[in-house]
């Protein structure tokens, strides 16, 4: 496995290589990321994992400066699961000048997480498009944990005719059900015990939908209230269409329950897909 820090060196290193699969990450890797690498390995001949904490996708008051940077530890883990190249560019290499050319996304980028993190998805899509152009993969793998991001990356790729297939990897969970996330380590012991309550409420909501509940606003409100009563500060709970992340039409069967909420200083997101009978 090679660790490459500059675009120029990467271009030379990848010359003549085909069948590249890219797993874009911000590092501080956990089992969820490693599972994406495993999927990448299954689909392509050559796996590139990018590690870059992208300033463009963090708001002014967000955790950019404290986001954990653990390159050495990440490389050890990646070496063991069959990564060919780790691409870890510097901020200056990726943004040698202020990034004024950005990706304009569909309006749904301003809903759900986008409503609470203005510009976040524009920043994420812009860096991913740059990484696509630099690495030139034919497949890229993203986690379903960031469901809205995965949807928007699919839209960007399709609408800009990028010759790249986007694959979504299932969310990996701790034994109690909490979705793995680099931000879980911000939680103190009491918060970590409480954190699974978000997932448990998504599971309850999924069951209610499968049992025939159709008043989605009521279901969303119930989860927000119950989380609020447990001391969470809820950004949103929303039941949407898997197809376009819009509010579901009456007969729509492929749904997803998405939520984002704060426990103390930590913002957690999670989602569950649900198929109901038509
Ligand atoms: O999901 C992430 O870690 C980031 O948003 C991504 C896709 C690596 C872009 O910075």
């Amino acid at each position: 496995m090679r660790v490459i820090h500059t675009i120029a060196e990467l271009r030379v290193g990848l010359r003549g290589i085909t069948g590249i699969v890219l797993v874009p990450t911000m590092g501080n890797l956990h089992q969820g990321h490693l599972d994406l690498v495993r999927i990448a390995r299954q689909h392509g001949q050559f796996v590139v994992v990018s590690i870059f904490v992208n300033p463009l996708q963090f708001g002014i008051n967000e955790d950019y400066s404290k986001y954990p940077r653990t390159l050495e530890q990440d490389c050890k883990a990646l070496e063991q699961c069959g990564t060919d190249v780790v691409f870890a560019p510097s901020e200056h290499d990726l943004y040698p000048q202020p990034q004024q050319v950005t990706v304009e996304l569909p309006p749904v980028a301003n809903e759900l997480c986008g409503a609470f993190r203005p510009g976040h998805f524009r920043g994420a899509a812009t860096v991913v498009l740059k990484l696509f152009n630099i690495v030139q993969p034919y497949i890229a793998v993203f986690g379903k944990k960031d469901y809205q991001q995965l949807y928007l990356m699919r839209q960007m790729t399709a609408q800009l005719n990028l010759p790249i297939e986007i694959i979504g990897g299932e969310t990996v969970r701790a034994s109690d059900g909490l979705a793995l996330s680099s931000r879980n380590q911000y939680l103190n012991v009491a918060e970590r015990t409480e954190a699974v309550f978000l997932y448990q409420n998504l599971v309850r909501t999924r069951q209610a939908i499968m049992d025939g509940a159709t008043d989605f606003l009521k279901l969303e409100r119930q989860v927000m209230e119950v989380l609020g009563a447990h001391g969470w500060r809820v950004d949103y709970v929303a039941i949407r269409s898997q197809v376009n992340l819009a509010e579901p039409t009456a007969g729509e069967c492929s749904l997803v329950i998405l939520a984002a909420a704060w426990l103390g200083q930590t913002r957690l997101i999670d989602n569950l897909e649900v198929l109901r009978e038509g």
Side-chain angles (χ1 to χ4, degrees):
M1 184 183 87
R2 286 184 67 194
V3 182
I4 296 181
H5 292 282
T6 69
I7 296 171
E9 207 191 327
L10 186 79
R11 289 223 154 103
V12 173
L14 295 185
R15 201 171 284 154
I17 292 177
T18 54
I20 298 174
V21 184
L22 173 66
V23 183
T25 80
M26 297 204 301
N28 194 240
L29 306 180
H30 50 66
Q31 203 47 50
H33 295 109
L34 301 182
D35 205 51
L36 302 182
V37 177
R38 182 188 56 77
I39 294 170
R41 203 51 296 152
Q42 281 171 355
H43 284 83
Q45 289 86 56
F46 195 92
V47 176
V48 177
V49 177
S50 63
I51 296 182
F52 179 66
V53 185
N54 173 34
L56 220 58
Q57 69 189 76
F58 287 79
I60 291 171
N61 296 318
E62 292 187 348
D63 56 345
Y64 172 67
S65 53
K66 80 164 182 176
Y67 199 88
R69 288 146 170 96
T70 50
L71 184 62
E72 206 175 310
Q73 185 185 311
D74 292 344
C75 288
K76 279 192 192 131
L78 288 172
E79 181 140 43
Q80 278 166 20
C81 57
T83 305
D84 295 294
V85 164
V86 175
F87 177 48
S90 68
E91 185 178 335
H92 184 261
D93 208 29
L94 221 46
Y95 298 119
Q97 54 185 325
Q99 186 71 30
Q100 292 168 339
V101 177
T102 58
V103 177
E104 171 108 6
L105 291 165
V108 73
N110 301 319
E111 299 178 24
L112 304 168
C113 279
F116 295 88
R117 304 187 67 189
H120 166 67
F121 289 116
R122 181 178 50 240
T126 301
V127 82
V128 167
L129 182 57
K130 284 163 79 85
L131 290 167
F132 283 176
N133 287 328
I134 294 163
V135 177
Q136 305 200 354
Y138 84 117
I139 292 176
V141 189
F142 295 85
K144 280 195 187 180
K145 156 115 186 324
D146 295 292
Y147 206 87
Q148 188 177 10
Q149 169 173 276
L150 171 61
Y151 171 78
L152 291 167
M153 295 308 153
R154 285 194 201 284
Q155 286 298 307
M156 174 177 81
T157 307
Q159 295 196 24
L160 294 179
N161 303 94
L162 305 179
I164 300 171
E165 183 190 344
I166 304 294
I167 295 181
E170 294 302 327
T171 300
V172 177
R173 297 182 181 278
S175 55
D176 65 350
L178 176 67
L180 296 192
S181 162
S182 302
R183 290 186 168 102
N184 291 352
Q185 65 194 270
Y186 300 156
L187 300 168
N188 64 31
V189 175
E191 289 167 347
R192 172 61 190 84
T193 307
E194 170 65 23
V196 69
F197 195 57
L198 178 63
Y199 171 65
Q200 289 168 344
N201 274 282
L202 297 188
V203 171
R204 256 194 290 276
T205 307
R206 178 177 63 185
Q207 192 57 51
I209 294 172
M210 283 170 12
D211 289 345
T214 52
D215 188 344
F216 294 158
L217 282 180
K218 187 170 161 198
L219 289 176
E220 291 166 2
R221 227 179 6 248
Q222 277 170 351
V223 177
M224 288 195 257
E225 277 169 16
V226 92
L227 287 170
H230 264 235
W232 294 68
R233 190 157 47 84
V234 182
D235 277 355
Y236 68 86
V237 176
I239 299 166
R240 295 289 175 105
S241 154
Q242 279 182 33
V243 178
N244 53 14
L245 290 190
E247 285 172 22
T249 53
E252 194 143 9
C253 297
S254 304
L255 307 174
V256 54
I257 315 157
L258 306 119
W262 292 81
L263 251 190
Q265 301 301 307
T266 308
R267 185 176 189 271
L268 299 177
I269 61 170
D270 203 350
N271 66 78
L272 270 189
E273 291 180 324
V274 43
L275 290 180
R276 63 171 175 170
E277 285 180 27

